[in-house]
Amino acid sequence: MAHSKEMTSGASLPLIFNFTIPLLLGSLLQQTYSLVDAAIVGKFLGINALASVGASTSVVFLILGFCNGCCGGFGIPVAQKFGAHDYVTMRRYVAVSLKLAALLSVIIALITSLLCAFILWVMQTPETIFDNAYYYLLITFIGVPCTFFYNLLSSIIRALGDSKTPFWFLLFSTVLNILLDLLCILVFGWGVAGAAIATVFSQGVSAVLCYLYMNRKFEILRMTPSDRKFRPELAKQLLYIGTPMGLQFSITAIGSIMLQSANNALGTACVAAFTAGIRIKMFFLCMLESLGIAMATYCGQNYGAGKPERIWQGVKSATLLMVIYVVIVNGILWGFAERFTLLFVDASEHEIIEKAALFLHVSVSFFPFLGMLCILRYSIQGAGYTNLAMFSGVAEMIARILVSVVAVPLWGFWAICFGDPTAWVFAVIFLVPAFAYMYRRLKVIVARERADKM
């Protein structure tokens, strides 16, 4: 029997830490799969096939980022009602979120599938890789419902304080994905399309298994016919919270696309250094992102329980964990950045190694800002103020565009290295007063509710 876990009482630091670890392992697993998937395509299908996958990476992130953001947002009211012990409304939120997911995912899949060729044409995809890129993108977009439901169900389970179960399903999905990659590419000979089919199918299977497990093992989620009814007022609230979170991911992706485009114009060495640096950086920022996701559930439950003071305690505990981690990671990357780069390029590529190390040194120096960004943004989202948190994504986008348009032409790769850090600083400058505003409002709201009950 799976167990939900309340985070509304007890010391905040161990609660947040224990919740974060499975999220971290899952995030690292995803990064590992990304590398293995690219290696399989590149090794067995060649450079053009690998380029076909890479040609659509940014737009895939743009669309799937929106879907994943919505899923995270749909889990917030579930966490809030769980914290408030209002299990009837919680189950109704779950039922409505599943219906919304079905509708939104089909609409997104239909529109994006029809626009695949146009998207690749706008992105000036070379003719030599256009067909493969088209089929990869088409299959990925057709599979949006699988991705949507998989992430939504994981978000609902996490909202109940269980971060371990989603990890095991992610592990299953990853192993299945790799096996299907090899089957579709080596045995069936489906090429790049086979890689996309493997990803979509594995997520679809995981979504179905996750749904069956959730209904059988979480008694608190077992619904009556009344719970399953569609309720427009709950749907409106879910969209009010989920849509800004989805847009935040997409808005951030736009800035990243601009920065990537500016770097592409600097030449092959810069592109290779940037690619290697980004992949290494993604591994080391997994902890910060996982800590943020943990804070969303923690704050959502404590908001629902009417305990805003615990939200502030949680932020302080998460900040302490973040600082300890950042100190360790700075020591690692300042000492071994060049060696990590050798995982991607030959030792004779001195320029690429030097530039990648520069990129990593600059990035890790600003990890405290990224850590605060994750903690504050997800805390604000967990309390339901997703519109407010979305503007931090706008700040990030503006920063990256300014760096891309103004700084890169003047300072080249040096400016590229400061692209993401500048965005993190811009976001934190916005998020600090935004969190203070939200926290004051929460205390006022809770004080009024307590007074009304007296």
Side-chain angles (χ1 to χ4, degrees), residues 320-339:
L320 176 60
L321 291 172
M322 180 270 291
V323 169
I324 294 172
Y325 175 75
V326 165
V327 169
I328 295 172
V329 170
N330 264 269
I332 294 173
L333 286 181
W334 275 97
F336 301 98
E338 291 86 355
R339 295 186 183 181

Side-chain angles (χ1 to χ4, degrees), residues 88-107:
V88 173
T89 306
M90 180 197 74
R91 287 191 292 270
R92 291 175 178 177
Y93 267 123
V94 171
V96 173
S97 71
L98 292 172
K99 292 180 173 63
L100 284 178
L103 178 62
L104 287 174
S105 62
V106 169
I107 292 174

Side-chain angles (χ1 to χ4, degrees), residues 264-340:
N264 289 345
L266 298 179
T268 304
C270 291
V271 173
F274 183 79
T275 302
I278 282 289
R279 296 201 174 200
I280 296 167
K281 185 183 75 172
M282 290 299 293
F283 263 93
F284 285 98
L285 62 77
C286 285
M287 175 62 180
L288 303 179
E289 184 73 16
S290 300
L291 190 59
I293 295 173
M295 285 302 296
T297 298
Y298 175 88
C299 292
Q301 289 192 11
N302 282 284
Y303 170 84
K307 298 179 178 180
E309 65 282 352
R310 283 187 58 81
I311 292 178
W312 175 235
Q313 292 173 8
V315 168
K316 290 189 291 185
S317 297
T319 301
L320 176 60
L321 291 172
M322 180 270 291
V323 169
I324 294 172
Y325 175 75
V326 165
V327 169
I328 295 172
V329 170
N330 264 269
I332 294 173
L333 286 181
W334 275 97
F336 301 98
E338 291 86 355
R339 295 186 183 181
F340 286 126

Side-chain angles (χ1 to χ4, degrees), residues 64 109 113 138-148 200 203:
L64 297 190
S113 297
L138 178 63
I139 294 168
T140 299
F141 286 157
I142 290 175
V144 161
C146 296
T147 303
F148 209 111
V200 169
Q203 288 187 336

Side-chain angles (χ1 to χ4, degrees), residues 47 132 177 235 264 266 311 328 370 436 440:
I47 298 301
N132 276 338
N177 202 335
N264 289 345
L266 298 179
I311 292 178
I328 295 172
L370 177 60
R440 286 195 300 268

Side-chain angles (χ1 to χ4, degrees), residues 81-237:
K81 294 304 177 183
F82 177 73
H85 295 176
D86 185 357
Y87 301 135
V88 173
T89 306
M90 180 197 74
R91 287 191 292 270
R92 291 175 178 177
Y93 267 123
V94 171
V96 173
S97 71
L98 292 172
K99 292 180 173 63
L100 284 178
L103 178 62
L104 287 174
S105 62
V106 169
I107 292 174
I108 293 171
L110 181 63
I111 294 175
T112 53
S113 297
L114 293 174
L115 292 176
C116 276
F118 175 75
I119 291 170
L120 291 172
W121 176 76
V122 170
M123 295 178 67
Q124 298 180 319
T125 305
E127 291 184 9
T128 54
I129 63 172
F130 190 95
D131 287 345
N132 276 338
Y134 172 78
Y135 288 118
Y136 183 85
L137 200 60
L138 178 63
I139 294 168
T140 299
F141 286 157
I142 290 175
V144 161
C146 296
T147 303
F148 209 111
F149 274 98
Y150 174 72
N151 284 284
L152 175 60
L153 295 170
S154 296
S155 178
I156 291 171
I157 294 173
R158 285 195 299 267
L160 304 184
D162 179 4
S163 59
K164 294 180 181 178
T165 298
F167 166 74
W168 292 116
F169 280 105
L170 179 59
L171 177 61
F172 170 79
S173 177
T174 299
V175 173
L176 179 62
N177 202 335
I178 293 173
L179 294 175
L180 289 176
D181 264 345
L182 295 171
L183 178 67
C184 293
I185 292 173
L186 299 183
V187 179
F188 297 153
W190 291 345
V192 170
I197 291 171
T199 299
V200 169
F201 185 80
S202 62
Q203 288 187 336
V205 171
S206 297
V208 172
L209 294 177
C210 192
Y211 179 77
L212 294 174
Y213 180 89
M214 185 178 75
N215 278 307
R216 291 179 182 178
K217 299 298 183 179
F218 288 88
E219 293 183 3
I220 198 172
L221 291 176
R222 292 177 184 173
M223 301 179 190
T224 65
S226 176
D227 293 332
R228 295 190 179 93
K229 291 181 180 178
F230 184 80
R231 290 173 168 78
E233 68 279 5
L234 299 187
K236 182 179 179 181
Q237 181 65 13

